[in-house]
Amino acid sequence: MKHIFVINPAAGKTNVTEALLPRLHALFVGREEELETYLTTGVGDATRFVKERCAASNGEHLRFYSCGGDGTMNEVLQGLAGCANAAMGVVPCGSGNDFVKIFTQTEPFRDINALLDEPVTEDFDLIRCGKDLAVNVCSVGFDARIGTDVAKYKKIPFVKGFGAYALSAVVNTVKRVKEHYIVRINGEVIDGSETLILAANGRYYGGGF
């Protein structure tokens, strides 16, 4: 089995790469051939890499580890969905880590040893929106605009993590809260002025129930 850590250097408050890579190399002493690491370079890069790696696997069992936030995890998911010999683990390093809260205990996700040694996997239903997939939440509207703009505000000096999220929330509140949407969900049509429309697959969203 290959253990492939997909690391997003832009996730969270600080670049986790410098701290994470030495830990990984220390854990794989004596079995270096099982370890692969990949540092993403921008939006969509994780999906591209995972798709290409799955296509070149020749049936070898692959376990990808998303090292970032919920956005990084979703990109890894998009890449491996439909690959029968691939599974996904999560090392939460981002500003938002709602997915791991689905599970009763979240601490094992921060223990890479536990992730490596745990052989049990779980099957998840996925939410499809057009060509895209989601495992936790799929939303449009006010909250989606806030999340999308966080990356833009992170580029401002000294604005990181929750600060970028808070700034995005304030700016989008000033711009507008409601918009007109026409959304079709399993044959049902929602047509009106809405703040947000949400399809959820877990117990947590935005840090709450």
Side-chain angles (χ1 to χ4, degrees):
M1 177 187 292
K2 286 286 186 182
H3 298 272
I4 307 170
F5 290 80
V6 181
I7 304 168
N8 180 1
K13 296 181 180 179
T14 59
N15 186 340
V16 300
T17 308
E18 291 183 2
L20 187 56
L21 287 179
R23 287 179 61 194
L24 294 176
H25 289 297
L27 287 171
F28 282 87
V29 170
R31 49 172 182 159
E32 289 84 359
E33 71 282 354
E34 298 178 22
L35 173 65
E36 289 185 27
T37 60
Y38 182 78
L39 273 60
T40 62
T41 58
V43 176
D45 189 47
T47 298
R48 178 202 58 77
F49 167 74
V50 173
K51 280 184 177 180
E52 291 178 357
R53 188 63 183 80
C54 286
S57 66
N58 293 320
E60 180 183 25
H61 289 289
L62 308 176
R63 184 173 292 174
F64 293 94
Y65 300 84
S66 169
C67 305
D70 289 325
T72 307
M73 184 214 67
N74 182 260
E75 287 201 15
V76 174
L77 169 74
Q78 302 285 338
L80 64 78
C83 181
N85 54 299
M88 180 177 71
V90 178
V91 180
C93 309
S95 303
N97 302 292
D98 282 349
F99 174 73
V100 298
K101 296 176 186 175
I102 293 174
F103 301 88
T104 305
Q105 296 181 341
T106 61
E107 284 308 308
F109 287 94
R110 302 183 187 278
D111 182 351
I112 298 176
N113 268 319
L115 293 177
L116 295 177
D117 295 336
E118 178 55 66
V120 177
T121 59
E122 298 286 349
D123 292 330
F124 274 81
D125 293 325
L126 299 178
I127 304 167
R128 181 178 294 279
C129 181
K131 295 181 179 180
D132 294 325
L133 299 169
V135 68
N136 187 36
V137 168
C138 179
S139 67
V140 295
F142 180 62
D143 57 333
R145 296 202 314 268
I146 292 173
T148 300
D149 288 350
V150 165
K152 176 174 64 178
Y153 294 117
K154 276 185 177 181
K155 296 178 182 178
I156 299 175
F158 308 111
V159 178
K160 300 292 182 182
F162 179 77
Y165 183 89
L167 181 57
S168 181
V170 171
V171 172
N172 278 284
T173 299
V174 172
K175 285 182 177 179
R176 63 195 178 281
V177 174
K178 290 188 176 182
E179 285 194 0
H180 180 253
Y181 295 98
I182 301 175
V183 179
R184 293 175 176 84
I185 304 177
N186 294 335
E188 180 181 350
V189 177
I190 299 172
D191 185 346
S193 180
E194 307 290 347
T195 300
L196 63 91
I197 301 171
L198 168 72
N201 199 28
R203 296 180 293 174
Y204 290 86
Y205 177 54
F209 288 96

